[in-house]
C-alpha cells in the first residue's frame, strides 16, 4: 500500500494494488472515505501512525459503495478503534451481508477487468452504524455532505466538502488513463446522470476510487468528460 499526500495536513490517499481509500484530518480527528481490501487494516493503521497520528482517533468510515475493494477493512478497523461505519441506505444491506452484491451490466471490454477485480479478497459482512441519504451531513471537513450518485450501484455516493472544494467520487468517475465514467455499472444511464451531477459541483480537488486525484483544472476537466460521455 502506498501513502500519497493530496492536501498537506488534511488529505492523503491510501493506494492498494486495486482501488484506494482516503484519509481526511480535522486536526487529530480522522475520517476514512472507503477502507481498502480485507486484511489491510494493519497497513492502514501503520499509515496513520506514519503521519504522527493515532488510529484511535479514527471517528468514522464512510463507504462510497458496497464493493469489496472499498469496504474490505471497514469492519476490522471499526472493531479495533470504535469508528462508526456509514453507507447509503440502498447499499447498507449488501455491506451487512444481508443481500448479494449486485451484478453489473458489463461491456465487452470490461469483462477481463472485472475478472481481475475479483482477485481482491471478498469483504466480510460489516455492521453499518448509520444509513445515509442524499444531502446528509457527515460531521467532518467543516461540512461534508452525501451526494447520492447511483448507477455504479444503487446506493453509490460521493462525498462533497464544499468549504475545501473537495469531492470524493467513489467509482462513479475514474481516472485510470483518461478521465471517464467508472466501469462495472449496474445502470449505465443512471451512472452518466450521476457523473454529470458530480461535475456540476465544480470541485477544485476530485478524488476517485481508481486513479490519481485531480488537483489542477479539475472543474473544467470533469465538466468536459461528463459532457462527452454518452448515456
Amino acid at each position: 500500500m502506498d501513502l500519497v499526500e493530496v492536501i498537506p495536513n488534511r488529505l492523503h490517499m491510501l493506494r492498494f494494488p486495486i482501488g484506494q481509500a482516503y484519509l481526511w484530518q480535522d486536526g487529530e480527528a480522522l475520517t476514512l472515505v472507503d477502507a481498502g481490501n480485507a486484511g489491510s487494516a494493519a497497513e492502514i493503521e501503520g499509515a496513520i501512525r506514519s503521519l504522527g497520528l493515532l488510529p484511535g482517533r479514527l471517528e468514522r468510515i464512510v463507504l462510497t459503495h458496497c464493493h469489496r475493494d472499498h469496504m474490505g477493512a471497514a469492519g476490522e478497523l471499526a472493531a479495533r478503534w470504535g469508528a462508526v461505519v456509514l453507507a447509503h441506505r440502498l447499499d447498507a444491506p449488501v455491506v451487512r451481508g444481508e443481500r448479494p452484491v449486485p451484478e453489473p451490466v458489463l461491456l465487452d471490454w470490461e469483462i477481463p477487468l472485472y475478472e481481475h477485480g475479483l482477485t481482491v479478497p471478498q469483504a466480510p459482512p460489516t455492521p453499518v452504524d448509520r444509513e445515509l441519504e442524499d444531502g446528509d451531513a457527515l460531521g467532518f471537513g467543516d461540512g461534508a455532505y452525501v451526494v447520492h450518485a447511483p448507477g455504479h450501484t444503487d446506493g453509490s455516493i460521493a462525498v462533497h466538502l464544499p468549504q475545501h472544494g473537495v469531492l470524493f467520487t467513489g467509482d462513479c468517475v475514474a481516472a485510470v488513463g483518461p478521465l471517464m465514467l467508472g466501469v462495472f455499472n449496474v445502470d449505465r444511464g443512471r451512472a452518466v446522470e450521476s457523473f454529470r451531477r458530480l461535475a456540476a459541483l465544480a470541485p477544485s480537488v476530485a478524488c476517485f476510487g481508481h486513479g490519481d486525484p485531480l488537483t489542477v483544472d479539475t472543474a473544467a476537466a470533469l465538466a468536459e468528460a461528463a459532457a462527452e460521455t454518452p448515456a
Side-chain angles (χ1 to χ4, degrees), residues 182-200:
V183 296
F184 315 151
N185 298 301
V186 299
D187 187 327
R188 178 182 172 87
R190 295 186 78 195
V192 172
E193 291 175 1
S194 293
F195 188 0
R196 292 172 180 165
R197 183 185 183 195
L198 298 187

Side-chain angles (χ1 to χ4, degrees), residues 156-220:
S156 286
I157 63 170
V159 178
H160 187 211
L161 281 63
Q163 294 299 317
H164 296 276
V166 173
L167 180 68
F168 301 94
T169 72
D171 279 1
C172 181
V173 189
V176 181
L179 194 63
M180 60 182 287
L181 181 73
V183 296
F184 315 151
N185 298 301
V186 299
D187 187 327
R188 178 182 172 87
R190 295 186 78 195
V192 172
E193 291 175 1
S194 293
F195 188 0
R196 292 172 180 165
R197 183 185 183 195
L198 298 187
L201 296 173
S204 55
V205 175
C207 297
F208 313 106
H210 300 270
D212 289 339
L214 188 58
T215 60
V216 177
D217 296 328
T218 303

Side-chain angles (χ1 to χ4, degrees), residues 92-119:
V94 183
V95 175
R96 291 192 293 257
E98 298 166 357
R99 294 181 188 170
V101 177
E103 291 292 332
V105 179
L106 297 173
L107 303 175
D108 288 344
W109 65 269
E110 293 179 326
I111 293 173
L113 295 175
Y114 186 68
E115 292 173 348
H116 179 59
L118 294 178
T119 62

